[in-house]
Amino acid sequence: MTLWLLLAFMTAMAVAAILWPLARRPKPVAAGNDVAVYRDQLEEIERDRANGAIGAPEAEAARIEVSRRLLAAADATAAESAAAQPAGYRRLAGILALILVPVGASALYLQLGSPELPGQPLSDRLARVHAGVPMQGNPQGNPQGQSLEALIARVEAYLEKNPDDGRGWEVIAPVYMRSGNYEAAAKARGHALRLLGSTAEREADFGETVVAAANGVVTAEAHAAFDRAIKLDAKNVSARFYLGLAAEQDGRKADAVAAWTALLADATPEAGWTEFVRRSIARAEGRPEGEVAKSEPQRSTTADVAKALGMAPEAPAAAAPAPQAKAGEDDMIRGMVSRLADRLKQDGSDVDGWIRLVRSYVVLGDADKARAAITDARTALGKDSEKLRRLDDGVKELGLEG
Amino acid sequence: MIAELGHYALVLALALALVQSVVPLVGTRTRDPVLMQVASPTALVQFVFVALSFAALTACYVTSDFSILNVAENSHSQQPLIFKLTSVWGNHEGSMLLWVLILAFFGALVAAFGNNIPAALKASVLAVQSWIAVTFYLFILLTSNPFARLPNPPFEGRDLNPILQDLGLAIHPPLLYLGYVGFSISFSFAVAALIEGRIDAAWARWVRPWTLAAWMFLTLGIAMGSYWAYYELGWGGWWFWDPVENASLMPWLAGTALLHSALVMEKREALKVWTILLAILAFSLSLIGTFLVRSGVLTSVHTFATDPTRGVFILAILIAFIGGSLAIFAWRASSLKQGGLFAPVSREGALVLNNLLLTTACATVFVGTLYPLALEALTGAKISVGAPFFNMTFGPLFLPILLAMPFGPMLAWKRGDLLGVAQRLVWAYAAGAVVAAAVYAYTWGGPVIAPFAIGLSAYVIVGALVDIAERIGLMRLPLAVVARRAAGLPRASWGTAIAHLGVGLTMLGVVCEMNWGAERIGMVKPGAVLSLRGYDLTFDGTSMREGPNYRELIGHFTVRRDGNVITVMEPTKRNFAAREMGTTEAALYSRGASQLYVSLGDPSPDGAIAVRIYHKPLVLLIWIGALVMTFGGGLSLSDRRLRVGAPKPAKAKSKTALQPAE
């Protein structure tokens, strides 16, 4: 409403700008402009002559030229003052102002403008995020530039308003997990479990977060969750692994080894976690852990968040992200990796960055690049032995040749 | 809502401009003063609306309202405020809005302060100004609307092109536009005079200050652009004969010519037709300058074809204004009264020579810039016309300009005494010869042309000083008299001399930089030392720093001379995440007018980094000269006789009585 009032006011102002001079009596025509200029020119010639900027005979000739123009100008001014002024055009101009300006301007504006769209300055949008109002924007569009905090804030705000959306809790949980906020992750998993019902997966996921929140100790609460998971699905890998861990932590190393060996026996060849389990077995048996790869592929946190956002605020009921979104996500991860690589190319002193880069290549399944990155890192770190040692440790952890 | 208000304000400005482009002209036809006086209020309110529109867009940028497409595409919420502001015109749509803002501003100035212009002339001028405005409003609204909205705005914007995130480039376009658009006033006056079929005596008095103001802004704008290219592009070059640069140089050359011919016109009412033609040309070249940069023609004729609406619209505007005004010129020019007579050797004659040379120089730049484009459009062949062409053509044309420059202001009007002036300039030749000989001896075996050019610069500089010395009677008269004459000398005379001196300074800088610049390029590892012209630069390593919306790699260099540390230089390379683009920021160290210039290249895997180091003797004079030229223009503009549209007789008389000499 305010918008339309303001637009109307502006239109009135425009119309007034035309009508006002039309209604005013004309000022007497400012006469004698030319005459004044010529007089000044005559004076100037005199000055020029006095200081030699013009010769005496030339000054005389110039004076005659100017005087002739002066006389003509004076005549013209006298002739101009009398002229008929028909009123027809004025009326036409008035009508033009009254009708054409408002009608034409609004017609063009309605064609081009979008009066129905509200403005969305950043401060408003942030305020809305905190108030938990879903965005008008497309949450999946271009998540690249969005900061992790802003994205988490958006999901949190949404969940605050819709605390009964189990899927919402389910998608934010891994985000918390990645960002190290294990307690929040455990709570989110708990909500998801409560709201969506018990399945082996959910019980195991819940248990895992509880373990993480307890600094890696399999607590009684976690144990119970894993037990329930096993009851629902005897083959649940995560639950079986953690129950083995629980046995190890209880000092029953043999039970742990037995549980994990059984787990390995059931593993399909392509399972990514076998090396990790093998290493755990070695640890439990007191052997060196050897060259084993880390089990879980590290997914990028932003990618998780992007996935989370894809579902949470806009379409909580949607089952899974669309395939093209998945592809976009992959591209995004690759983009992030290449940006990291670029940055390291410029500043090679960031050893954690190098380890992250190598790990990213491992996750993406690009062993050659991973090895190349290790070589680059060695070159870039140069003589910094402390950093080189950390690099070696990190690389060893990834199971690559140091 | 703010964006919609701005959008509507622009539409209303268009409606007002339409009325303003017709009604006052009808008034001049029917001699109805009421219709004529419609022009001023509409021009003023039009400006208010455009200003509102611009303010609305600016507000959207400042608040990062990404529901406006233009804001989302060219800004980022984490930009510092200053670059949020400059983002407004750092893109096509916004810069066109700035263009019309300045156009409306100049129109409003004429409306508000043009009380001394005859009513009919003022009405016609504002109407013509409005034609330009109408076309540009339509262009903006129909093909480049900055207020296009996004129903689903992205959470973050795409950021301004990093290369534009620099203070130098931020103020460069507004200055350039003030110059370009300033010529629109001269153009409007010229076309109005042609429509009226007569030129009032007030004409030149009005045209010259506008031209002067536009010329000053253009000079500053070009200098700023050149300095920006110098420190931002990382190659140490300050002029590339790049089409974008040429596009701004052409109106400057035409404008400089116009400035001088308007002088003749104001004083002697000669060269009327020529001045009108120049006014038309200066603005036409400004239009070409605006659009060459904007249309995509420059990158390739083919990109022009990819966006046909905009391209065709631009072409139509160029044809309508340039073709139309030249047609009116051909049709009406013969009806203009001829002015005063003068002999070939006279101040007028010197100014004609200046005009001939400047317009020829302008024509060479025009050919060099547009011929490759025309050739590509017609035959598809891609050729590039670079520095060698311009050095071969432009240089020789400027030689006579520089030679004749000290003569012009010293010649008398109507009929001058060439021999007398030549004698009075003896100090200037002497200075030129001595300097040239000294430089030649000092750089024995070096290029011969350089000492000559230095001598020429010295001659121009001393020539400008001799002009002033002659006018105030230095060395001839007692000091008290000299002081009095100096105080009484019209500011326009000071302005002329100072502007000419500025040309000499710029020339000096150009010659020194081109002939005696030194450079070193090398890969350095921390601890390495590079030496150039007695400066020893130790590379202390690199570090990273987080900027508001970029990360930068900083190279640390300690500069020593004879073992003493004189400064620390820190060139950087910035990386802007949102656009995945980088910029180089050279480090500059000035000693006098000379500069040491360090720019970072790419780091190599083995920890070394490429570094370019330049020593640029007297390079700052290039831009100092431009500043001096602008200052001279400003002095001339502040001259009492130009400030008023036409003199107020009583007051003017009493003041002239006190004025001893010119």
Side-chain angles (χ1 to χ4, degrees):
Chain A
M1 199 56 213
T2 336
L3 176 70
W4 295 109
L5 276 178
L6 284 170
L7 296 190
F9 174 73
M10 283 159 69
T11 319
M13 196 170 146
V15 172
I18 305 167
L19 289 185
W20 179 64
L22 285 175
R24 227 168 27 137
R25 283 169 58 84
K27 269 191 287 180
V29 175
N33 287 306
D34 289 5
V35 176
V37 173
Y38 291 132
R39 290 228 176 86
D40 190 60
Q41 280 188 344
L42 283 176
E43 280 167 22
E44 217 167 86
I45 292 170
E46 193 48 45
R47 258 184 291 143
D48 283 352
R49 194 193 55 76
N51 65 44
I54 189 169
E58 286 77 26
E60 189 51 40
R63 229 192 323 269
I64 292 167
E65 275 171 20
V66 175
S67 307
R68 206 176 289 142
R69 280 185 229 128
L70 178 61
L71 288 175
D75 288 351
T77 315
E80 210 165 75
S81 46
Q85 282 140 19
Y89 286 113
R90 291 186 199 174
R91 215 165 289 144
L92 200 64
I95 293 167
L96 201 73
L98 266 178
I99 298 174
L100 273 183
V101 169
V103 173
S106 4
L108 186 61
Y109 172 70
L110 290 176
Q111 184 75 29
L112 298 171
S114 327
E116 74 287 355
L117 290 182
Q120 298 199 24
L122 187 70
S123 51
D124 277 18
R125 279 179 295 155
L126 287 179
R128 247 175 296 157
V129 161
H130 292 303
V133 180
M135 281 285 108
Q136 278 217 342
N138 170 12
Q140 260 187 335
N142 187 27
Q144 240 155 298
Q146 315 188 355
S147 77
L148 193 61
E149 290 75 18
L151 295 174
I152 292 178
R154 284 174 65 182
V155 183
E156 278 176 343
Y158 170 78
L159 285 171
E160 214 168 282
K161 285 262 162 178
N162 307 275
D164 292 337
D165 182 1
R167 281 208 65 90
W169 290 113
E170 198 147 58
V171 290
I172 197 157
V175 180
Y176 285 138
M177 195 70 175
R178 302 283 177 233
S179 54
N181 190 354
Y182 303 124
E183 265 137 59
K187 259 183 212 149
R189 287 286 184 210
H191 285 309
L193 190 60
R194 178 172 54 79
L195 292 163
L196 299 173
S198 169
T199 66
E201 292 283 326
R202 288 200 190 101
E203 294 285 4
D205 285 345
F206 172 63
E208 188 178 15
T209 52
V210 173
V211 171
N215 290 323
V217 177
V218 183
T219 60
E221 191 188 9
H223 205 294
F226 293 128
D227 282 343
R228 284 195 297 274
I230 292 289
K231 218 174 275 171
L232 290 162
D233 174 11
K235 297 270 176 225
N236 185 289
V237 174
S238 175
R240 285 166 75 187
F241 173 78
Y242 278 107
L243 285 174
L245 187 65
E248 189 197 12
Q249 286 173 357
D250 289 349
R252 296 177 283 120
K253 299 239 159 143
D255 286 359
V257 171
W260 286 333
T261 315
L263 187 59
L264 276 182
D266 288 349
T268 49
E270 61 269 23
W273 42 263
T274 49
E275 283 305 306
F276 188 69
V277 176
R278 261 185 214 116
R279 202 168 62 172
S280 301
I281 293 173
R283 186 182 64 224
E285 289 177 342
R287 290 187 283 120
E289 288 172 33
E291 289 154 9
V292 281
K294 210 167 182 180
S295 70
E296 319 158 74
Q298 294 278 324
R299 297 289 300 280
S300 134
T301 50
T302 314
D304 282 330
V305 179
K307 199 171 90 189
L309 288 167
M311 296 181 285
E314 195 84 310
Q324 61 263 45
K326 188 102 179 98
E329 206 175 283
D330 269 4
D331 285 350
M332 200 182 76
I333 294 170
R334 279 175 202 283
M336 285 169 42
V337 172
S338 75
R339 267 202 300 286
L340 179 61
D342 286 350
R343 183 166 67 72
L344 289 168
K345 222 174 263 171
Q346 299 203 346
D347 172 25
S349 63
D350 176 9
V351 64
D352 292 328
W354 282 113
I355 296 173
R356 220 161 44 238
L357 182 66
V358 173
R359 183 185 297 149
S360 307
Y361 284 133
V362 171
V363 171
L364 290 170
D366 202 335
D368 289 344
K369 273 198 178 158
R371 273 179 236 288
I374 294 172
T375 320
D376 286 350
R378 291 240 158 80
T379 333
L381 293 172
K383 299 187 217 50
D384 193 334
S385 57
E386 162 63 16
K387 283 183 176 173
L388 275 176
R389 199 183 50 73
R390 273 173 63 201
L391 177 73
D392 285 342
D393 288 354
V395 168
K396 222 175 259 163
E397 200 184 327
L398 288 168
L400 282 167
E401 190 52 59
Chain B
M1 188 178 80
I2 289 174
E4 295 305 315
L5 285 179
H7 198 168
Y8 189 62
L10 197 61
V11 174
L12 277 179
L14 168 67
L16 280 178
L18 274 170
V19 171
Q20 190 191 324
S21 61
V22 178
V23 173
L25 274 189
V26 175
T28 60
R29 291 288 113 193
T30 59
R31 294 205 175 169
D32 185 345
V34 172
L35 289 182
M36 286 193 239
Q37 73 188 13
V38 168
S40 292
T42 48
L44 290 170
V45 177
Q46 199 191 118
F47 170 64
V48 170
F49 282 137
V50 182
L52 210 63
S53 185
F54 192 81
L57 188 63
T58 310
C60 293
Y61 267 95
V62 170
T63 57
S64 293
D65 186 342
F66 299 128
S67 70
I68 290 103
L69 175 67
N70 190 252
V71 180
E73 281 184 341
N74 298 293
S75 144
H76 193 281
S77 64
Q78 276 165 3
Q79 273 175 349
L81 182 63
I82 173 77
F83 292 128
K84 280 185 183 165
L85 291 174
T86 62
S87 294
V88 177
W89 59 80
N91 61 85
H92 170 76
E93 288 81 3
S95 70
M96 290 321 292
L97 194 61
L98 177 69
W99 212 94
V100 291
L101 175 71
I102 296 173
L103 190 73
F105 172 66
F106 279 131
L109 280 184
V110 173
F113 300 106
N115 299 325
N116 297 306
I117 318 172
L121 180 64
K122 185 176 172 185
S124 311
V125 166
L126 285 174
V128 174
Q129 184 82 359
S130 219
W131 296 351
I132 307 171
V134 167
T135 349
F136 275 84
Y137 294 141
L138 282 175
F139 177 68
I140 292 177
L141 287 168
L142 299 181
T143 73
S144 327
N145 199 327
F147 294 107
R149 299 292 299 273
L150 288 171
N152 294 318
F155 200 78
E156 190 49 272
R158 295 235 299 266
D159 207 351
L160 175 67
N161 188 342
I163 220 164
L164 302 180
Q165 297 195 25
D166 174 89
L167 210 57
L169 209 65
I171 44 180
H172 164 69
L175 284 176
L176 213 53
Y177 281 9
L178 277 167
Y180 284 167
V181 182
F183 286 132
S184 76
I185 297 285
S186 323
F187 174 85
S188 296
F189 267 91
V191 173
L194 287 170
I195 292 174
E196 293 259 301
R198 71 193 183 110
I199 297 186
D200 295 280
W203 196 92
R205 290 195 174 238
W206 261 91
V207 166
R208 209 165 90 83
W210 286 111
T211 315
L212 198 52
W215 177 87
M216 283 165 58
F217 286 122
L218 201 52
T219 309
L220 277 183
I222 293 174
M224 183 69 74
S226 149
Y227 190 61
W228 168 82
Y230 170 71
Y231 72 73
E232 180 82 15
L233 299 185
W235 289 99
W238 46 271
W239 192 262
F240 297 89
W241 293 107
D242 175 275
V244 178
E245 290 170 322
N246 292 348
S248 61
L249 183 64
M250 288 188 283
W252 187 84
L253 290 168
T256 312
L258 173 61
L259 202 61
H260 289 89
S261 81
L263 185 71
V264 180
M265 169 123 178
E266 185 194 344
K267 280 269 203 173
R268 287 290 163 271
E269 293 209 20
L271 302 184
K272 272 184 188 172
V273 177
W274 172 244
T275 305
I276 290 217
L277 180 63
L278 272 181
I280 290 175
L281 285 181
F283 183 61
S284 301
L285 289 168
S286 299
L287 279 182
I288 292 177
T290 308
F291 283 136
L292 266 188
V293 183
R294 294 281 151 218
S295 65
V297 172
L298 285 182
T299 26
S300 164
V301 178
H302 303 295
T303 54
F304 186 69
T306 54
D307 188 3
T309 5
R310 199 176 274 178
V312 168
F313 207 118
I314 287 174
L315 213 58
I317 292 180
L318 290 181
I319 291 173
F321 277 98
I322 302 176
S325 56
L326 288 177
I328 297 180
F329 177 78
W331 175 42
R332 302 286 292 204
S334 54
S335 66
L336 299 174
K337 279 183 292 184
Q338 276 308 312
L341 304 168
F342 57 87
V345 176
S346 61
R347 183 89 67 94
E348 291 95 323
L351 289 164
V352 169
L353 178 70
N354 147 302
N355 268 239
L356 285 176
L357 292 168
L358 280 174
T359 42
T360 316
C362 183
T364 52
V365 178
F366 187 81
V367 169
T369 310
L370 292 187
Y371 175 69
L373 293 175
L375 196 69
E376 193 194 339
L378 294 177
T379 67
K382 264 184 180 278
I383 60 162
S384 83
V385 173
F389 167 82
F390 293 104
N391 290 344
M392 290 285 288
T393 54
F394 195 77
L397 276 168
F398 245 77
L399 183 68
I401 292 184
L402 293 171
L403 280 175
M405 193 183 284
F407 279 85
M410 298 182 74
L411 280 168
W413 290 100
K414 262 178 150 353
R415 202 187 64 193
D417 176 8
L418 199 58
L419 203 65
V421 174
Q423 282 169 352
R424 281 185 286 164
L425 275 172
V426 69
W427 283 109
Y429 318 134
V434 168
V435 170
V439 173
Y440 184 61
Y442 184 68
T443 62
W444 186 259
V448 184
I449 188 85
F452 170 72
I454 297 276
L456 188 61
S457 314
Y459 157 75
V460 169
I461 293 170
V462 175
L465 295 176
V466 167
D467 177 29
I468 288 292
E470 279 289 327
R471 278 166 199 268
I472 60 176
L474 198 68
M475 316 282 229
R476 280 190 289 122
L477 299 169
L479 262 179
V481 181
V482 169
R484 210 169 37 135
R485 289 182 74 151
L489 194 65
R491 292 203 192 145
S493 304
W494 282 108
T496 305
I498 289 173
H500 285 180
L501 190 125
V503 175
L505 288 178
T506 296
M507 164 96 180
L508 195 61
V510 169
V511 174
C512 287
E513 197 278 330
M514 276 171 70
N515 289 290
W516 292 296
E519 74 174 84
R520 276 208 65 171
I521 300 175
M523 297 293 292
V524 290
K525 290 194 174 182
V529 177
L530 283 176
S531 299
L532 184 70
R533 288 269 164 84
Y535 294 97
D536 302 315
L537 285 87
T538 313
F539 178 50
D540 302 325
T542 57
S543 65
M544 296 297 295
R545 185 163 56 195
E546 284 287 340
N549 52 345
Y550 57 83
R551 280 174 68 85
E552 61 183 353
L553 172 74
I554 309 169
H556 302 275
F557 293 86
T558 307
V559 184
R560 290 185 178 81
R561 206 177 164 88
D562 305 325
N564 305 316
V565 176
I566 50 173
T567 187
V568 174
M569 293 179 78
E570 298 189 332
T572 70
K573 275 177 87 75
R574 289 185 183 163
N575 201 352
F576 290 76
R579 288 233 181 186
E580 308 228 357
M581 273 177 74
T583 62
T584 51
E585 310 283 323
L588 301 171
Y589 171 69
S590 306
R591 271 205 145 185
S594 306
Q595 276 195 327
L596 200 59
Y597 180 113
V598 181
S599 165
L600 288 184
D602 292 319
S604 76
D606 61 348
I609 189 160
V611 178
R612 278 190 290 272
I613 302 173
Y614 302 91
H615 179 252
K616 307 235 168 216
L618 298 185
V619 68
L620 283 177
L621 281 186
I622 297 175
W623 303 290
I624 291 173
L627 286 178
V628 170
M629 278 186 242
T630 311
F631 177 68
L635 269 185
S636 187
L637 192 64
S638 71
D639 194 306
R640 175 186 62 76
R641 289 166 306 160
L642 285 178
R643 214 166 22 207
V644 287
K648 296 182 180 71
K651 238 167 97 187
K653 231 174 234 163
S654 64
K655 276 197 180 169
T656 33
L658 295 172
Q659 216 151 48
E662 181 176 344

